Amino acid sequence: MHAMSSAVECRNVTVRFVTERRTVTALENVSFSLQRGGFLALLGPSGCGKSTLLRVVADLIQPTAGSMAVLGQTPEEARRDRALGFVFQDAALLPWRTAIQNVQLPLEVGGGPKSLPANAPTPRELLKLVGLEGWENSFPHELSGGMRQRVSIARALVTSPRMLLMDEPFGALDEFTRDRLNEELRRIWQETRTTILFVTHSIYESVFLGESVLMLAANPGRVREQVNIDLPPDRTLAIRDTETFVRVAAGLRKSLEH
C-alpha cells in the first residue's frame, strides 16, 4: 500500500513493559496497514495488546522496536497536528458542563475554532449528527450511558480529526444500546469518511462495523490474520441474520480459537 494512501503503516512494532520483577512483551513484531477513509476493527482476547496498539498509534505509548507512521507522519506529529480523535470506553464527560459544553471543550483547550477547517461542523451540528438534537443543554447525569457515549464521539470529532481511535467505546453498554450505536457509528463513518481504528472483544461487532478486521493473538500480542469483510457498505442490524454475515463471523471465531 502506498504511504500517501495509508492512514497507518505499522511495521514490526514491539512493545515491552519492564518492571523490577519482570519484562512483559505486550506486542511482538506487529505489522498492518490501514487505508485513509477505512474502518479497521482490532479483535482479540483480553491481554492481546489491542489497547496498547491503539495507544502506540495515538502517541501515548512509545514502541520498544519497529516503526509507526500515522497519516504520513510520526504519531507525535499527528497528535500535535490534532489529526487524531480518541474515544475511550468511559465517556469521561465533565459533570458540571452540558452536552454542548463538553463537545466544545477541545476547542477551548486547543486554540479555538480558528485552527479548524472553514467547513468544520459546529458542536451543535455534531450533536445532531450523533442523534442528540434537543439534548444540547442537558448535563451528563440527565443522559443515559449510550447518550453520554454519543456526546464523547461528538467531542472527539469537534477538532475535525482525520482519524478516530476508539477503545471499546460500547463495551460497558447493554446489548440493545450497543446495537443501536453500532448502526449510528456506521452511519457517521459513511457521512464523514473519517478513518476509524476500533478496538473490540466482540466478533459480531467487528464484522458489522469493520471494512476489515485485524485479529490479534495473546501472550505475546501478535497479528494472527487480517480479514477483509465483504459486506455491503449500507448495513443495518438485519444483516447479522444473513448467511454471509454468519459465515464470516464463524470464520473469525474459528481462526481465533486456533
Side-chain angles (χ1 to χ4, degrees), residues 112-135:
K114 290 179 182 176
S115 58
L116 297 179
N119 62 345
T122 65
R124 189 172 297 276
E125 288 168 340
L126 285 168
L127 284 172
K128 183 178 180 180
L129 177 70
V130 299
L132 286 179
E133 188 174 20
W135 295 90

Side-chain angles (χ1 to χ4, degrees), residues 2 16-17 21 40 50-51 58 82 85 87 92 97 101 111 113 118 128 137 149 153 157 162 188 193 232 241:
H2 193 272
R16 293 190 181 93
F17 297 112
R21 297 175 59 191
L40 177 64
K50 300 185 299 295
S51 294
R82 301 169 77 193
V87 181
R97 294 180 71 117
Q101 289 171 340
K128 183 178 180 180
N137 297 315
Q149 276 300 57
I153 292 170
L157 290 170
R162 285 176 282 158
I188 291 166
R193 283 297 167 176
D241 298 324

Side-chain angles (χ1 to χ4, degrees), residues 6 203 231:
S6 295
I203 292 172
L231 292 171

Side-chain angles (χ1 to χ4, degrees), residues 190-253:
Q190 286 194 276
E191 287 189 26
T192 64
R193 283 297 167 176
T194 303
T195 307
I196 296 180
L197 188 55
F198 186 100
V199 167
T200 179
H201 279 114
S202 167
I203 292 172
Y204 293 112
E205 187 169 61
S206 69
V207 176
F208 180 78
L209 287 175
E211 295 297 286
S212 65
V213 177
L214 184 72
M215 291 186 289
L216 300 180
N219 303 315
R222 61 200 184 278
V223 174
R224 188 184 288 276
E225 192 177 357
Q226 186 165 353
V227 177
N228 290 323
I229 303 301
D230 189 20
L231 292 171
D234 293 324
R235 301 175 196 173
T236 65
L237 292 174
I239 203 169
R240 298 190 307 188
D241 298 324
T242 64
E243 186 180 332
T244 303
F245 187 98
V246 172
R247 186 177 68 249
V248 172
L252 294 190
R253 185 177 301 280

Side-chain angles (χ1 to χ4, degrees), residues 174-202:
D174 66 80
E175 186 177 357
F176 300 106
T177 304
R178 185 173 186 157
D179 285 349
R180 206 161 70 246
L181 285 180
N182 277 187
E183 281 192 310
E184 286 288 301
L185 183 58
R186 280 288 307 186
R187 177 185 60 79
I188 291 166
W189 172 70
Q190 286 194 276
E191 287 189 26
T192 64
R193 283 297 167 176
T194 303
T195 307
I196 296 180
L197 188 55
F198 186 100
V199 167
T200 179
H201 279 114
S202 167

